[in-house]
């Protein structure tokens, strides 16, 4: 296939093109070729040599971490709380009591009762024995279960064991109870309390 030869403009077309060329304005004020070429400036070499980096000192994990906040203080165990109570009774009798050398004059067994049953039974027992002039009584609570049931909330072992000292510290028992301490092993150990009562007036 032969190429078609280019067509030349006639005189009228040349005049028209000349008019268009005279009225046309350049899109850019300067052509790229008119802009002076700037030579890249070579960076001046520093006269002073660079200072060497500080040597890396001894590194310890967590050295720059913020200080740890205050830790949570867990409540003491019921045994520690009862043992830490101030001694109100005669010190000599207290030492004999802790060694199991004093014999309780009466005892009550709350083991197996619900809290709604145990509370009034404890109040009646303590008030009745205080009224007849008894000084030392034994309250058996049981040690409670030793295995968790696997639930999401931790279960306190021995509900009555934890509750009895609180009941003894509240009215009306607070006015007649002088001392509460854990019983000696021969009287029930961790599952019982000695309750030393005030003298009757």
């Amino acid at each position: 296939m032969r190429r078609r030869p280019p067509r030349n403009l006639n005189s009228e077309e040349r005049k028209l093109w000349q008019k268009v060329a005279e009225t046309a304005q350049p899109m850019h004020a300067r052509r790229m070729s008119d802009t002076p070429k700037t030579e890249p400036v070579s960076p001046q070499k520093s006269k002073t040599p660079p200072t060497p980096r500080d040597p890396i000192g001894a590194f310890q994990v967590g050295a720059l971490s913020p200080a740890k906040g205050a830790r949570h203080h867990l409540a003491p165990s019921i045994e520690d709380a009862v043992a830490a109570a101030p001694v109100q009774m005669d010190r000599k009798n207290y030492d004999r009591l802790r060694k199991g050398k004093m014999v309780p004059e009466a005892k009550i067994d709350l083991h197996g009762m619900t809290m709604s049953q145990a509370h009034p039974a404890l109040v009646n027992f303590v008030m009745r024995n205080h009224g007849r002039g008894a000084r030392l009584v034994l309250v058996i609570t049981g040690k409670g279960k030793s295995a968790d049931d696997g639930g999401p909330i931790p279960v306190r072992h021995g509900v009555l064991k934890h509750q009895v000292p609180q009941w003894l510290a509240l009215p009306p028992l607070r006015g007649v109870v002088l001392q509460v301490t854990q019983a000696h092993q021969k009287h029930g150990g961790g599952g019982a309390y000695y309750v030393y009562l005030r003298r009757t007036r």
Side-chain angles (χ1 to χ4, degrees):
M1 183 175 176
R2 295 180 60 186
R3 279 185 73 183
R4 186 176 178 182
R7 185 176 72 84
N8 294 327
L9 299 175
N10 58 27
S11 59
E12 289 182 9
E13 290 173 342
R14 287 180 185 277
K15 289 179 183 178
L16 180 61
W17 175 250
Q18 188 65 30
K19 287 182 181 179
V20 171
E22 289 176 358
T23 59
Q25 296 180 355
M27 292 181 65
H28 301 287
R30 287 183 173 183
R31 293 181 182 176
M32 296 296 294
S33 60
D34 295 343
T35 57
K37 295 180 180 180
T38 58
E39 295 182 2
V41 180
S42 60
Q44 295 181 353
K45 293 183 179 180
S46 176
K47 295 181 181 179
T48 58
T51 57
R53 294 184 178 181
D54 295 334
I56 299 175
F59 176 76
Q60 186 176 1
V61 176
L64 300 179
S65 63
K68 293 181 180 178
R71 298 190 177 193
H72 298 289
H73 297 286
L74 300 177
S77 65
I78 188 62
E79 292 86 357
D80 294 338
V82 171
V87 178
Q88 302 290 337
M89 59 186 290
D90 178 66
R91 187 73 199 193
K92 189 175 181 180
N93 286 336
Y94 179 75
D95 291 339
R96 291 180 63 235
L97 180 65
R98 292 293 305 273
K99 293 175 182 178
K101 293 182 179 180
M102 295 181 70
V103 180
E105 301 170 52
K107 70 176 180 179
I108 183 173
D109 191 353
L110 304 177
H111 186 256
M113 294 186 185
T114 63
M115 291 181 64
S116 59
Q117 294 170 336
H119 190 198
L122 176 67
V123 172
N124 292 335
F125 170 76
V126 172
M127 297 302 290
R128 184 175 67 251
N129 281 282
H130 178 260
R132 69 178 184 86
R135 297 302 308 277
L136 179 62
V137 296
L138 181 68
V139 178
I140 301 171
T141 62
K143 295 181 180 180
K145 64 176 184 176
S146 58
D148 198 354
D149 59 0
I153 300 173
V155 178
R156 176 171 278 180
H157 298 230
V159 176
L160 290 178
K161 179 181 176 180
H162 285 81
Q163 198 64 43
V164 163
Q166 298 180 27
W167 287 338
L168 293 170
L170 295 173
L173 301 181
R174 182 174 62 186
V176 300
V177 174
L178 184 64
Q179 191 78 46
V180 178
T181 186
Q182 186 173 311
H184 189 268
Q185 197 65 35
K186 67 181 181 181
H187 291 138
Y193 292 107
Y194 292 133
V195 181
Y196 198 76
L197 303 177
R198 298 180 186 273
R199 293 185 185 276
T200 53
R201 296 178 183 176

